[in-house]
Amino acid sequence: MKKIFIFNIIIIVSCLFANSQDRLGQSTNKGSDKTSAAVDTISALSYAWKVISPLGLHEPSTIDTLLYNYYQKSIPSEVTPAYATTGNLGSEGQTLLFFQRKEMSDFFFADALRAWIPSIDTHKFYNTRRPMTLLSYNTGGGKETTQDRLKMTFSANANAKTQIGAYLDYLYSKGSYNYQATKDLVWGISGSYMGDRYELQTFMYHYDLLNKENGGITDDLYITDPAEIQGGSSKVDTKTIPTNLTAAHSKLVGTDIYINNRYKVGYYEEEIVNDSVVNRTYIPVSSFIWTLNYKDGKHIFLNDVPGQARFWDNTYLSKTGTNDRTEYSTLTNTLGISLLEGFNKYAKAGLAAYATHQIRKYTQTTDTIDRITTLPEGLSPYPVSKVPHKSSENLLWIGAQLTKQQGSLLRYNATAQFGIAGPVAGDIDIDGNLSTRFKLLGDSVTLTAYGKFSNQEAPYLMNHYVSNHFIWENDFGKIRRFRVGGKLDIPQTKSFLNVGVENLQNYIYFNEKCLPTQHGGSVQILSASLNQNFKLGVLHLDNKLTYQTSTDETVIPLPKFSIYSNLYILFKVCGVLDVQLGVDCDYYTKYKSIAYQPATMSFYNQREIEVGNYPFMNAYANMKLDKARFYVMFSHVNQGMTGNNYFVLPHYPLNPRKFQIGVSVDFAN
């Protein structure tokens, strides 16, 4: 009742706010149609953008105020249509669509929580003309399974050139199963200045993510056939299902600071009418860029129950409990110079050169093992040499970037980077795309070709790592990847097609013993994705279909086929309330699933258990009233109707049926 009360208060306040804004606008506009037109123009000029690495180029983005699919903020579909997760919102997960996966990072623990950590790839800068606050609150479940999330995005302009912003994301969920709770707090500030000569783009994020680790349930029969394991009773309280771990926690804390500076050199162009200067426009010719990026991260794994060490094959450092700590920091400085696109008729593209220097530092749990010839009985071999407690790396790259972001006929973006000093010496990273537009069926069609080649050093922590249950010392070679593909976007038929193929050599993955290993041969991945939407009056059917295949399922296991479908009707009530009413479904075929190891927050390959072939369905009503969006939803509405084998990872079932509500308000002042 308390949650519903808060939900209703937010909606009422947003409606009163919108009504007061309307009255204020009507009062202001009496006797002046020009004022009304000016207000609409100011509102229409609001926009958002993202930053393209490594030199801070702009990529247009959107402001999230749309009605469509707002309900997805509380279910795995928010991340990807095919998502392997430990179950709880805010917990660890990995996309099962290979072309959506990012490469392993230098601090691999954060990869499992990447969906909940802001980064340069996801951060948006805004220019809203009027202050904007996007506030949302989503909740669901009962007293013992509560799931709450509060988010806030703020942006305001001091003038046409200067903007400041703030961000808050607090997620607390007890989970539907025991010892599964998450408590995530992310906050940040940002700012930008877009002057004629000088540009600044900067943000700072801090995250503190705490996850209880239950290691999965002890017996899958509690889900697939509860009557058998409970002596005839088919009903089961999910909070009473035994779990493998009861006192284990993973904590991930980190900071990301980004500062991009650009000074532009050029000249003023003046427009003169009747011997008077009417307008002066600054035409930049070249620019000098300095980008600073600082990141740090700390991973802590705690387990206070000594007897639960049997969950792991080995215990190296302490048999009375686990307290693993791994810390990481990196300071990156990039200096660049560029000739800007379009400064004269001969400069059809932008050209830039840059150099990047990076310092990485690692601090790990102290390796206290006495190296002996005869190992204790039952203990797997560990490295002969001690893993360093502290380590640092100095890295240097040079690179170049060619871009054409203007024009409708042809656009392209190509970046080449070469490692010249430190462990990355000999590294190559080339990434590019080329797009064109042409007319088809009376509409503009976009065709894009993309390609990527990389030859990169293995992350430091894949070669050197120490903890209570896992120790490794490797000498992995460089990882080579080559991807090529194309995209076709046809707005007229609401079709989007993406077909690509990737070849991987020396690929690093976690094997059945949860240890990193490098595959010496090649693996090819073929992926074809189709987004196809249909509409008949108020009836809509949106589909995302993906076919993918791996030439070696023991190295990269993937479900062959996945589909996301959303069937809904879209209509308006009394001319003011927009309603999206429907049912959606995630589904992918069976495959030998990846599994999850809580001690290292990693996903590893196993060849015994299949998951998949289960539809996850949600029934929802999504609504928008002026500047307020809200929804009511039954997630996993099909539980018990389409079978009971609803696992997405071995021993990690999906959440059972849950009633959820949410509201988001755009407080544009």
Side-chain angles (χ1 to χ4, degrees), residues 103-118:
E103 298 175 4
M104 183 184 295
S105 67
D106 298 316
F107 195 61
F108 71 93
F109 307 101
D111 295 349
L113 294 173
R114 188 174 264 150
W116 318 109
I117 302 175

Side-chain angles (χ1 to χ4, degrees), residues 324-371:
D324 295 335
R325 293 172 181 263
T326 306
E327 298 182 19
Y328 161 81
S329 68
T330 175
L331 177 63
T332 306
N333 280 279
T334 299
L335 295 175
I337 182 171
S338 69
L339 298 176
L340 301 182
E341 175 185 352
F343 74 90
N344 65 40
K345 63 181 180 180
Y346 301 107
K348 300 299 184 184
L351 178 63
Y354 65 91
T356 298
H357 176 259
Q358 187 177 85
I359 300 174
R360 298 176 187 163
K361 294 184 179 181
Y362 301 87
T363 302
Q364 300 194 58
T365 304
T366 303
D367 187 344
T368 59
I369 297 176
D370 292 328
R371 264 51 183 179

Side-chain angles (χ1 to χ4, degrees), residues 82-207:
Y83 192 53
T85 172
T86 55
N88 202 8
L89 191 71
S91 62
E92 299 86 353
Q94 184 179 82
T95 178
L96 300 179
L97 304 181
F98 187 79
F99 271 38
Q100 291 185 5
R101 288 183 189 172
K102 295 188 177 181
E103 298 175 4
M104 183 184 295
S105 67
D106 298 316
F107 195 61
F108 71 93
F109 307 101
D111 295 349
L113 294 173
R114 188 174 264 150
W116 318 109
I117 302 175
S119 68
I120 190 172
D121 296 326
T122 60
H123 178 79
K124 293 182 181 181
F125 292 94
Y126 299 92
N127 190 316
T128 59
R129 298 302 195 262
R130 293 183 292 178
M132 174 197 76
T133 302
L134 302 178
L135 181 66
S136 68
Y137 174 65
N138 304 319
T139 186
K143 182 178 180 181
E144 297 300 322
T145 62
T146 185
Q147 174 183 294
D148 295 314
R149 189 177 190 183
L150 177 68
K151 288 186 71 175
M152 184 274 294
T153 300
F154 169 78
S155 180
N157 277 65
N159 51 50
K161 299 178 180 179
T162 308
Q163 171 265 341
I164 58 171
Y167 178 84
L168 174 70
D169 187 358
Y170 177 71
L171 194 161
Y172 175 71
S173 178
K174 291 184 177 180
S176 297
Y177 304 91
N178 256 339
Y179 310 108
Q180 191 194 37
T182 62
K183 185 166 69 173
D184 299 348
L185 174 64
V186 182
W187 62 270
I189 56 176
S190 64
S192 63
Y193 175 80
M194 298 290 115
D196 289 343
R197 294 183 181 273
Y198 176 68
E199 291 186 4
L200 170 69
Q201 301 172 110
T202 181
F203 64 76
M204 188 278 285
Y205 282 110
H206 181 77
Y207 57 88

Side-chain angles (χ1 to χ4, degrees), residues 485-502:
K487 303 176 184 178
L488 180 63
D489 186 4
I490 309 176
Q492 184 73 12
T493 60
K494 297 180 175 60
S495 306
F496 178 80
L497 178 66
N498 183 358
V499 179
V501 62
E502 181 164 354

